[in-house]
Amino acid sequence: MLTKRQKQVLDFITEYSRKNGISPTIDEIRKHFRLNSVATIHQHLESLRSKGYLDRLKNKTRSLSLPKKRSVSDLISKSSRSGFALVPLLGSANAGPATFFAEENIEAYQKVPRTIVRKQSGIFAVRVDGDSMNKASIDGNNLEDGDLAIIDSEYKSPKSGDYVLAVRDGLANLKKFLRDQKTGDVILISESSNPKHKPIKVSSEDDFMINGRIIGVVKR
Amino acid sequence: MLTKRQKQVLDFITEYSRKNGISPTIDEIRKHFRLNSVATIHQHLESLRSKGYLDRLKNKTRSLSLPKKRSVSDLISKSSRSGFALVPLLGSANAGPATFFAEENIEAYQKVPRTIVRKQSGIFAVRVDGDSMNKASIDGNNLEDGDLAIIDSEYKSPKSGDYVLAVRDGLANLKKFLRDQKTGDVILISESSNPKHKPIKVSSEDDFMINGRIIGVVKR
DNA sequence: TATACTTTCGGTACATTTTCGGTATTGATG
DNA sequence: CATCAATACCGAAAATGTACCGAAAGTATA
């Protein structure tokens, strides 16, 4: 299909674009190959275009682009049009340290009905791990092992009775949030069939923070 | 596609907004680039807007905002740049009817290391349901309940010994594929610690089809 | 209304792409 | 072997696009 030189040029454009976020100018390509005329590169680009390996606009600088790969990005845009949102799944709650709010820790992008997720941003999902909340009810669903809890991370000042993702001493947990009327103390409840999960009273010295509210459940 | 300068301006706006929670004024952008006329910046903003990289309100101070669209496709391209692919997760194998190869049934987009997925297309994931393959070993991993099997759907002519996603009478199953040397018959094996799973001999009348080969496992 | 911003206008300099006519090299083919 | 076709390359000029300017006019808002 492609000649050796054409492939070299295409590879260079691909690499350059990946590194810099924008495509090179013809002259930059010329320099890279230590040629003397931009006309040469221009010809290669024209060949690549006619063979379908490259898209470009007339007379526009840095307008080279690789033809779309049909598959994934197509599906993505379709899903967001059709009543679903894609929210990042950030591992398990009730499990590891709460350092997981980093991009590297996105396991997957979960399709969630728009009936649950109405906002555009600030939403993520965590996997429910264990039985500590299996009697909690969110929109009629309880939170069982393996389910996904959908979290609104922009809701950080919970009211008594809210279900939240709480981080205490670096550990993330799904809990019911209660505030003692008199003392103002925060109490975290496990709503579980398993009596070993006791309420936790948060003292002011604790390294404590609410990471968001549970706004829905996706059953496994 | 953006020009170099346009990209610089967009990057500055993105950073500034992230840091300050509010977008910059045109004059602040001008200062940052040490230019002498706000008209220049104004032009860049107009270009960015017309290319869909920026939303803004007329005559409103600090009304620049990044369109929501960009986030997902950004993540996609980022994830593919950083050693991962996003593959659609199409429900459970060993479970329902094999009608799930439809777009509506995508549950999520799973991040999978490029060490497993080397191709651009034709890859999807299914959830392993049950213990029927828990003694199978794929790259040293066995297939336990809740794991994800990564399938290459463009590999439809398996060799004896391959692990495959097979569909028989409308039911999808993960199996080991064997072909009888003499008769040419196809036999599907469950590699399980549970002896109740018996080998299945496929007769030519069966509605039978190989949907792809298991190329990897993502442990849960 | 004062002032802080945004928008519009006309114009310059420079950067980049496109076009044109032409040479050199290679490999296949009658 | 001569020839043809395809590829790779060149230099220079023409055409187009991009980045920038200063000044003035228009809008939002305290």
Side-chain angles (χ1 to χ4, degrees), chain A residues 18-79:
Chain A
R18 191 188 62 75
K19 268 204 201 107
N20 303 295
I22 58 179
S23 63
T25 62
I26 295 184
D27 198 54
E28 283 170 344
I29 306 175
R30 178 195 63 75
K31 278 196 194 106
H32 176 263
F33 289 101
R34 295 168 202 218
L35 300 179
N36 296 304
S37 171
V38 287
T40 305
I41 302 300
H42 187 265
Q43 263 183 63
H44 288 317
L45 297 183
E46 185 46 34
S47 311
L48 286 167
R49 196 202 52 74
S50 72
K51 292 183 183 179
Y53 286 85
L54 198 62
D55 285 343
R56 57 195 305 246
L57 305 171
K58 256 206 153 190
N59 291 319
K60 294 284 180 194
T61 58
R62 299 182 192 276
S63 67
L64 312 175
S65 64
L66 308 172
K68 278 175 209 122
K69 289 276 193 289
R70 269 290 161 301
S71 58
V72 183
S73 47
D74 264 13
L75 292 170
I76 291 279
S77 65
K78 243 177 221 166
S79 84

Side-chain angles (χ1 to χ4, degrees), chain B residues 6 13 26-30 70 76 89 119 131-132 150 155 159 182 198 209 218:
Chain B
Q6 284 163 10
I13 295 168
I26 295 186
D27 199 53
E28 283 170 343
I29 305 175
R30 178 194 63 75
R70 268 166 43 86
I76 292 275
L89 170 59
K119 299 168 54 189
D131 60 4
S132 76
I150 312 300
Y155 184 97
K159 297 193 295 283
K182 297 168 197 166
K198 300 270 191 283
M209 160 183 194
V218 172

Side-chain angles (χ1 to χ4, degrees), chain B residues 141-197:
Chain B
N141 292 299
N142 48 9
L143 281 171
E144 291 167 308
D145 188 53
D147 292 345
L148 300 181
I150 312 300
I151 312 288
D152 178 356
S153 68
E154 286 166 0
Y155 184 97
K156 299 207 171 171
S157 305
K159 297 193 295 283
S160 243
D162 281 345
Y163 293 101
V164 298
L165 177 64
V167 178
R168 237 182 91 250
D169 297 330
L171 243 60
N173 281 282
L174 297 171
K175 296 286 176 188
K176 182 174 209 164
F177 177 93
L178 285 183
R179 189 181 291 277
D180 188 301
Q181 298 287 11
K182 297 168 197 166
T183 63
D185 287 345
V186 169
I187 299 165
L188 301 175
I189 312 269
S190 293
E191 294 195 329
S192 173
S193 58
N194 184 340
K196 82 170 183 195
H197 298 291

